[in-house]
PDB file of all heavy atoms in Angstrom:
ATOM      1  N   GLN A 232    -155.815 129.499  12.060  1.00 85.00           N
ATOM      2  CA  GLN A 232    -157.110 128.817  12.427  1.00 85.00           C
ATOM      3  C   GLN A 232    -157.560 128.066  11.146  1.00 85.00           C
ATOM      4  O   GLN A 232    -157.836 128.619  10.139  1.00 85.00           O
ATOM      5  CB  GLN A 232    -158.110 129.819  12.834  1.00 85.00           C
ATOM      6  CG  GLN A 232    -157.694 130.644  14.090  1.00 85.00           C
ATOM      7  CD  GLN A 232    -157.578 129.793  15.317  1.00 85.00           C
ATOM      8  OE1 GLN A 232    -158.284 128.774  15.468  1.00 85.00           O
ATOM      9  NE2 GLN A 232    -156.725 130.301  16.235  1.00 85.00           N
ATOM     10  N   TRP A 233    -157.702 126.727  11.338  1.00 87.00           N
ATOM     11  CA  TRP A 233    -158.167 125.912  10.165  1.00 87.00           C
ATOM     12  C   TRP A 233    -159.534 126.331   9.751  1.00 87.00           C
ATOM     13  O   TRP A 233    -159.952 126.240   8.608  1.00 87.00           O
ATOM     14  CB  TRP A 233    -158.053 124.443  10.483  1.00 87.00           C
ATOM     15  CG  TRP A 233    -158.918 123.873  11.498  1.00 87.00           C
ATOM     16  CD1 TRP A 233    -158.570 123.687  12.816  1.00 87.00           C
ATOM     17  CD2 TRP A 233    -160.224 123.437  11.421  1.00 87.00           C
ATOM     18  NE1 TRP A 233    -159.600 123.142  13.486  1.00 87.00           N
ATOM     19  CE2 TRP A 233    -160.725 123.003  12.632  1.00 87.00           C
ATOM     20  CE3 TRP A 233    -161.104 123.327  10.307  1.00 87.00           C
ATOM     21  CZ2 TRP A 233    -161.964 122.447  12.797  1.00 87.00           C
ATOM     22  CZ3 TRP A 233    -162.425 122.888  10.480  1.00 87.00           C
ATOM     23  CH2 TRP A 233    -162.826 122.413  11.765  1.00 87.00           C
ATOM     24  N   ASP A 234    -160.432 126.683  10.734  1.00 88.00           N
ATOM     25  CA  ASP A 234    -161.792 126.981  10.372  1.00 88.00           C
ATOM     26  C   ASP A 234    -161.864 128.294   9.537  1.00 88.00           C
ATOM     27  O   ASP A 234    -162.685 128.405   8.636  1.00 88.00           O
ATOM     28  CB  ASP A 234    -162.704 127.035  11.647  1.00 88.00           C
ATOM     29  CG  ASP A 234    -162.156 128.012  12.731  1.00 88.00           C
ATOM     30  OD1 ASP A 234    -160.911 128.380  12.576  1.00 88.00           O
ATOM     31  OD2 ASP A 234    -162.860 128.310  13.638  1.00 88.00           O
ATOM     32  N   LEU A 235    -160.991 129.289   9.876  1.00 92.00           N
ATOM     33  CA  LEU A 235    -160.945 130.447   9.104  1.00 92.00           C
ATOM     34  C   LEU A 235    -160.433 130.172   7.693  1.00 92.00           C
ATOM     35  O   LEU A 235    -160.879 130.789   6.721  1.00 92.00           O
ATOM     36  CB  LEU A 235    -160.028 131.522   9.782  1.00 92.00           C
ATOM     37  CG  LEU A 235    -159.854 132.868   9.006  1.00 92.00           C
ATOM     38  CD1 LEU A 235    -161.209 133.558   8.775  1.00 92.00           C
ATOM     39  CD2 LEU A 235    -158.932 133.803   9.863  1.00 92.00           C
ATOM     40  N   MET A 236    -159.349 129.320   7.622  1.00 93.00           N
ATOM     41  CA  MET A 236    -158.872 128.891   6.260  1.00 93.00           C
ATOM     42  C   MET A 236    -159.998 128.354   5.374  1.00 93.00           C
ATOM     43  O   MET A 236    -160.075 128.736   4.257  1.00 93.00           O
ATOM     44  CB  MET A 236    -157.745 127.937   6.381  1.00 93.00           C
ATOM     45  CG  MET A 236    -156.454 128.542   7.063  1.00 93.00           C
ATOM     46  SD  MET A 236    -155.129 127.296   7.392  1.00 93.00           S
ATOM     47  CE  MET A 236    -154.587 126.948   5.708  1.00 93.00           C
ATOM     48  N   SER A 237    -160.772 127.405   5.974  1.00 93.00           N
ATOM     49  CA  SER A 237    -161.775 126.831   5.150  1.00 93.00           C
ATOM     50  C   SER A 237    -162.913 127.725   4.790  1.00 93.00           C
ATOM     51  O   SER A 237    -163.519 127.701   3.735  1.00 93.00           O
ATOM     52  CB  SER A 237    -162.318 125.602   5.921  1.00 93.00           C
ATOM     53  OG  SER A 237    -162.965 125.992   7.152  1.00 93.00           O
ATOM     54  N   GLU A 238    -163.221 128.669   5.653  1.00 94.00           N
ATOM     55  CA  GLU A 238    -164.218 129.705   5.431  1.00 94.00           C
ATOM     56  C   GLU A 238    -163.780 130.654   4.329  1.00 94.00           C
ATOM     57  O   GLU A 238    -164.605 131.092   3.487  1.00 94.00           O
ATOM     58  CB  GLU A 238    -164.528 130.503   6.702  1.00 94.00           C
ATOM     59  CG  GLU A 238    -165.308 129.728   7.744  1.00 94.00           C
ATOM     60  CD  GLU A 238    -165.406 130.394   9.084  1.00 94.00           C
ATOM     61  OE1 GLU A 238    -164.952 131.564   9.127  1.00 94.00           O
ATOM     62  OE2 GLU A 238    -165.887 129.792  10.040  1.00 94.00           O
ATOM     63  N   MET A 239    -162.498 130.924   4.235  1.00 95.00           N
ATOM     64  CA  MET A 239    -162.000 131.718   3.164  1.00 95.00           C
ATOM     65  C   MET A 239    -162.146 130.978   1.824  1.00 95.00           C
ATOM     66  O   MET A 239    -162.496 131.640   0.773  1.00 95.00           O
ATOM     67  CB  MET A 239    -160.520 132.161   3.381  1.00 95.00           C
ATOM     68  CG  MET A 239    -160.324 133.160   4.457  1.00 95.00           C
ATOM     69  SD  MET A 239    -158.545 133.622   4.590  1.00 95.00           S
ATOM     70  CE  MET A 239    -158.718 134.877   5.872  1.00 95.00           C
ATOM     71  N   VAL A 240    -161.869 129.686   1.831  1.00 96.00           N
ATOM     72  CA  VAL A 240    -162.018 128.929   0.609  1.00 96.00           C
ATOM     73  C   VAL A 240    -163.503 128.866   0.181  1.00 96.00           C
ATOM     74  O   VAL A 240    -163.897 129.064  -0.981  1.00 96.00           O
ATOM     75  CB  VAL A 240    -161.454 127.455   0.828  1.00 96.00           C
ATOM     76  CG1 VAL A 240    -161.850 126.613  -0.397  1.00 96.00           C
ATOM     77  CG2 VAL A 240    -160.022 127.512   1.031  1.00 96.00           C
ATOM     78  N   ALA A 241    -164.365 128.746   1.231  1.00 95.00           N
ATOM     79  CA  ALA A 241    -165.863 128.650   0.990  1.00 95.00           C
ATOM     80  C   ALA A 241    -166.371 130.032   0.401  1.00 95.00           C
ATOM     81  O   ALA A 241    -167.345 130.092  -0.310  1.00 95.00           O
ATOM     82  CB  ALA A 241    -166.604 128.385   2.246  1.00 95.00           C
ATOM     83  N   ALA A 242    -165.594 131.106   0.736  1.00 95.00           N
ATOM     84  CA  ALA A 242    -165.939 132.384   0.178  1.00 95.00           C
ATOM     85  C   ALA A 242    -165.284 132.654  -1.176  1.00 95.00           C
ATOM     86  O   ALA A 242    -165.363 133.699  -1.789  1.00 95.00           O
ATOM     87  CB  ALA A 242    -165.534 133.541   1.130  1.00 95.00           C
ATOM     88  N   ASN A 243    -164.637 131.601  -1.698  1.00 95.00           N
ATOM     89  CA  ASN A 243    -163.913 131.671  -3.044  1.00 95.00           C
ATOM     90  C   ASN A 243    -162.841 132.670  -3.062  1.00 95.00           C
ATOM     91  O   ASN A 243    -162.487 133.346  -4.121  1.00 95.00           O
ATOM     92  CB  ASN A 243    -164.939 131.876  -4.130  1.00 95.00           C
ATOM     93  CG  ASN A 243    -164.496 131.385  -5.482  1.00 95.00           C
ATOM     94  OD1 ASN A 243    -163.538 130.556  -5.527  1.00 95.00           O
ATOM     95  ND2 ASN A 243    -165.154 131.725  -6.553  1.00 95.00           N
ATOM     96  N   LEU A 244    -162.081 132.830  -1.916  1.00 95.00           N
ATOM     97  CA  LEU A 244    -160.978 133.776  -1.898  1.00 95.00           C
ATOM     98  C   LEU A 244    -159.594 133.156  -2.298  1.00 95.00           C
ATOM     99  O   LEU A 244    -158.604 133.711  -2.530  1.00 95.00           O
ATOM    100  CB  LEU A 244    -160.832 134.316  -0.473  1.00 95.00           C
ATOM    101  CG  LEU A 244    -161.972 135.283  -0.070  1.00 95.00           C
ATOM    102  CD1 LEU A 244    -161.854 135.687   1.435  1.00 95.00           C
ATOM    103  CD2 LEU A 244    -162.009 136.532  -0.942  1.00 95.00           C
ATOM    104  N   GLY A 245    -159.625 131.802  -2.319  1.00 96.00           N
ATOM    105  CA  GLY A 245    -158.363 131.059  -2.685  1.00 96.00           C
ATOM    106  C   GLY A 245    -158.646 129.562  -2.374  1.00 96.00           C
ATOM    107  O   GLY A 245    -159.703 129.161  -2.089  1.00 96.00           O
ATOM    108  N   ILE A 246    -157.491 128.815  -2.470  1.00 97.00           N
ATOM    109  CA  ILE A 246    -157.578 127.378  -2.196  1.00 97.00           C
ATOM    110  C   ILE A 246    -156.684 127.092  -1.026  1.00 97.00           C
ATOM    111  O   ILE A 246    -155.799 127.920  -0.676  1.00 97.00           O
ATOM    112  CB  ILE A 246    -157.187 126.554  -3.370  1.00 97.00           C
ATOM    113  CG1 ILE A 246    -155.790 126.756  -3.864  1.00 97.00           C
ATOM    114  CG2 ILE A 246    -158.127 126.852  -4.560  1.00 97.00           C
ATOM    115  CD1 ILE A 246    -155.271 125.888  -4.963  1.00 97.00           C
ATOM    116  N   ALA A 247    -156.780 125.921  -0.443  1.00 96.00           N
ATOM    117  CA  ALA A 247    -155.955 125.621   0.736  1.00 96.00           C
ATOM    118  C   ALA A 247    -155.667 124.118   0.838  1.00 96.00           C
ATOM    119  O   ALA A 247    -156.312 123.256   0.077  1.00 96.00           O
ATOM    120  CB  ALA A 247    -156.688 126.003   2.048  1.00 96.00           C
ATOM    121  N   ILE A 248    -154.687 123.711   1.601  1.00 96.00           N
ATOM    122  CA  ILE A 248    -154.289 122.371   1.785  1.00 96.00           C
ATOM    123  C   ILE A 248    -154.404 122.012   3.245  1.00 96.00           C
ATOM    124  O   ILE A 248    -153.812 122.655   4.155  1.00 96.00           O
ATOM    125  CB  ILE A 248    -152.853 122.076   1.345  1.00 96.00           C
ATOM    126  CG1 ILE A 248    -152.764 122.214  -0.207  1.00 96.00           C
ATOM    127  CG2 ILE A 248    -152.456 120.615   1.669  1.00 96.00           C
ATOM    128  CD1 ILE A 248    -151.369 122.095  -0.764  1.00 96.00           C
ATOM    129  N   LEU A 249    -155.286 121.068   3.606  1.00 94.00           N
ATOM    130  CA  LEU A 249    -155.569 120.752   4.998  1.00 94.00           C
ATOM    131  C   LEU A 249    -155.528 119.184   5.243  1.00 94.00           C
ATOM    132  O   LEU A 249    -155.742 118.448   4.342  1.00 94.00           O
ATOM    133  CB  LEU A 249    -156.964 121.204   5.394  1.00 94.00           C
ATOM    134  CG  LEU A 249    -157.285 122.735   5.381  1.00 94.00           C
ATOM    135  CD1 LEU A 249    -158.665 123.069   5.623  1.00 94.00           C
ATOM    136  CD2 LEU A 249    -156.346 123.372   6.495  1.00 94.00           C
TER     137      LEU A 249
END
Side-chain angles (χ1 to χ4, degrees):
Q232 302 293 331
W233 66 263
D234 51 348
L235 178 58
M236 293 174 70
S237 62
E238 287 168 9
M239 287 183 177
V240 174
N243 206 12
L244 292 174
I246 65 176
I248 295 175
L249 294 173

